Amino acid sequence: MSVEPISQLARLSVSLPAELLSQLDAMVAERGLPSRSQMIAELIRHELAEHSEGQDGAVLAGTVTLIYRADSGRVRQALAQAQSTFLKEVISSQHVFLEDDQSLEVLLVQGPSERLHQLCDELRRVRGVNQIRLVTTRALLPPLHAHSRGQASDASAPAARGGAR
């Protein structure tokens, strides 16, 4: 199978029950999309990413979204401890307080699908976590750091020499 440039489009003919087509058209209109094709392409991308999650060795990027009780620091501490065993996979996190003593935390993650699922399982075990969802994509983040035996990469060289402030 050859890889073709993304700019090339292929036509696809699909037969759907009338009710399903009506629901699709309503979704396209509600989202303000110019065509069914954009909606169908988005739905296919979601399904392909979900399919990749189950493939051994697939490296994925995505987010883990958590909702949990913020009634004490115990839950946040347990979540931080769980995340610390996945330092290679957790790129960053963002936390906000919600109403009714709830917290929302979003983790930016990348790694083998097995590790991302292990991370979610570990977070799910923390008492106080109410919801957790992993959303992935097959597209990956560019390398964040280039390591070469004590030498800074070109991108970090000015900072390493004190040139960037």
Side-chain angles (χ1 to χ4, degrees):
M1 187 162 96
S2 66
V3 177
E4 297 180 358
I6 232 166
S7 63
Q8 292 185 349
L9 297 176
R11 295 216 178 266
L12 171 70
S13 176
V14 178
S15 298
L16 299 173
E19 179 60 27
L20 189 57
L21 181 60
S22 176
Q23 291 173 354
L24 177 66
D25 286 341
M27 184 185 290
V28 168
E30 287 172 13
R31 294 187 180 181
L33 297 174
S35 69
R36 292 175 182 155
S37 293
Q38 280 191 312
M39 186 77 253
I40 291 170
E42 180 181 337
L43 294 170
I44 291 171
R45 282 187 203 100
H46 284 293
E47 286 302 310
L48 287 172
E50 189 172 312
H51 176 72
S52 294
E53 284 181 24
Q55 294 178 340
D56 290 342
V59 176
L60 306 169
T63 60
V64 176
T65 303
L66 298 149
I67 307 245
Y68 57 90
R69 286 193 327 265
D71 52 359
S72 72
R74 179 193 59 77
V75 178
R76 287 193 72 190
Q77 183 178 0
L79 290 172
Q81 186 175 1
Q83 290 174 38
S84 71
T85 61
F86 294 88
L87 288 177
K88 287 184 179 179
E89 290 78 23
V90 178
I91 312 278
S92 69
S93 67
Q94 179 72 43
H95 171 266
V96 294
F97 291 103
L98 302 174
E99 296 176 334
D100 301 325
D101 209 22
Q102 299 281 308
S103 282
L104 169 72
E105 188 162 348
V106 179
L107 308 176
L108 175 60
V109 296
Q110 180 169 289
S113 62
E114 301 86 13
R115 288 287 291 169
L116 299 184
H117 284 286
Q118 289 169 1
L119 168 63
C120 289
D121 291 343
E122 190 72 25
L123 297 171
R124 200 174 272 118
R125 287 185 195 104
V126 173
R127 187 174 177 170
V129 172
N130 297 330
Q131 295 176 3
I132 184 169
R133 173 151 304 166
L134 172 65
V135 176
T136 61
T137 181
R138 295 175 58 144
L140 299 178
L141 297 166
L144 300 175
H145 301 281
H147 298 283
S148 81
R149 299 230 183 247
Q151 296 177 356
S153 68
D154 290 340
S156 63
R161 291 191 301 266
R165 298 193 194 273

